[in-house]
Amino acid sequence: MISDEKLRGGASAPPRKVLILGVGNLLLQDDGFGVHLINALKNTVLPENVTLLEAGTVSHQLSPMLHEIDRLIVIDVVEAGDTPGSLFRFSPDDMRFTTEQRVSLHQISLIDVLHMAELTGSKPQTVIIGVQPKDTTTWSLELSDELKAVIPRVKELIFAELRKIQAL
């Protein structure tokens, strides 16, 4: 039997390009969790094939970036009616929403951006790590104590994802 390495002429496969994307509105307390998490990772030494990006409130301008990556790890808040700080891991395929008519590109969600990228030939394997917020309506640049407390655990989950895809 011929191994995959021999089929590639003995060379190992190039490292997968990974984007860790922090999503949310930094001005609305816990809604900015994804952005705060990316900021908490900025001094972490990561492999060259791993990129961090604060996406703020997702826009259609992310679509071209998705053509340059193989894997996407999204960090965002998820309103699941659970205890603040509860963590969730899922894929975009796990999210079943009815489509609404959009009247502006400013109303585009992350799922919309992923669908647009897929329509133009890109579908990075995507994992979403979500955290249940406590408050997403108060104007504040500070996270609630419950969400500050889960930052180390979310970092661990990200590193576990990177190990699964051999990016570390």
Side-chain angles (χ1 to χ4, degrees):
M1 178 175 260
I2 299 174
S3 70
D4 288 345
E5 185 174 320
K6 287 186 180 183
L7 288 173
R8 291 186 302 264
S12 60
R16 294 181 172 120
K17 293 181 182 177
V18 180
L19 176 62
I20 302 173
L21 184 69
V23 179
N25 187 336
L26 194 58
L27 300 175
L28 292 174
Q29 195 162 8
D30 291 344
D31 193 56
F33 182 82
V35 176
H36 284 284
L37 195 281
I38 294 298
N39 287 331
L41 287 172
K42 283 191 174 172
N43 293 324
T44 304
V45 177
L46 296 168
E48 288 182 25
N49 62 315
V50 177
T51 302
L52 300 174
L53 179 64
E54 301 170 26
T57 54
V58 178
S59 100
H60 64 285
Q61 295 169 335
L62 287 173
S63 188
M65 274 190 115
L66 300 180
H67 289 274
E68 301 172 10
I69 62 169
D70 303 302
R71 303 289 178 119
L72 176 63
I73 301 171
V74 178
I75 311 302
D76 198 1
V77 293
V78 174
E79 184 53 63
D82 211 322
T83 305
S86 296
L87 299 174
F88 306 92
R89 180 194 180 281
F90 53 95
S91 77
D93 295 335
D94 296 327
M95 300 171 72
R96 306 277 187 245
F97 298 121
T98 58
T99 57
E100 302 173 3
Q101 184 174 356
R102 309 275 194 240
V103 294
S104 165
L105 286 177
H106 298 285
Q107 294 178 321
I108 290 179
S109 71
L110 172 64
I111 300 304
D112 294 328
V113 171
L114 291 170
H115 286 152
M116 286 188 327
E118 185 176 1
L119 289 172
T120 58
S122 176
K123 187 176 181 182
Q125 289 186 341
T126 302
V127 168
I128 300 168
I129 298 173
V131 61
Q132 173 67 49
K134 179 178 183 180
D135 183 346
T136 59
T137 60
T138 299
W139 291 95
S140 176
L141 295 172
E142 294 291 320
L143 292 173
S144 65
D145 290 339
E146 292 86 345
L147 268 63
K148 285 179 187 174
V150 298
I151 286 176
R153 179 67 184 125
V154 174
K155 285 181 177 181
E156 289 173 15
L157 292 172
I158 290 169
F159 295 136
E161 291 296 330
L162 292 173
R163 281 189 295 277
K164 280 183 200 173
I165 58 178
Q166 300 175 340
L168 279 182

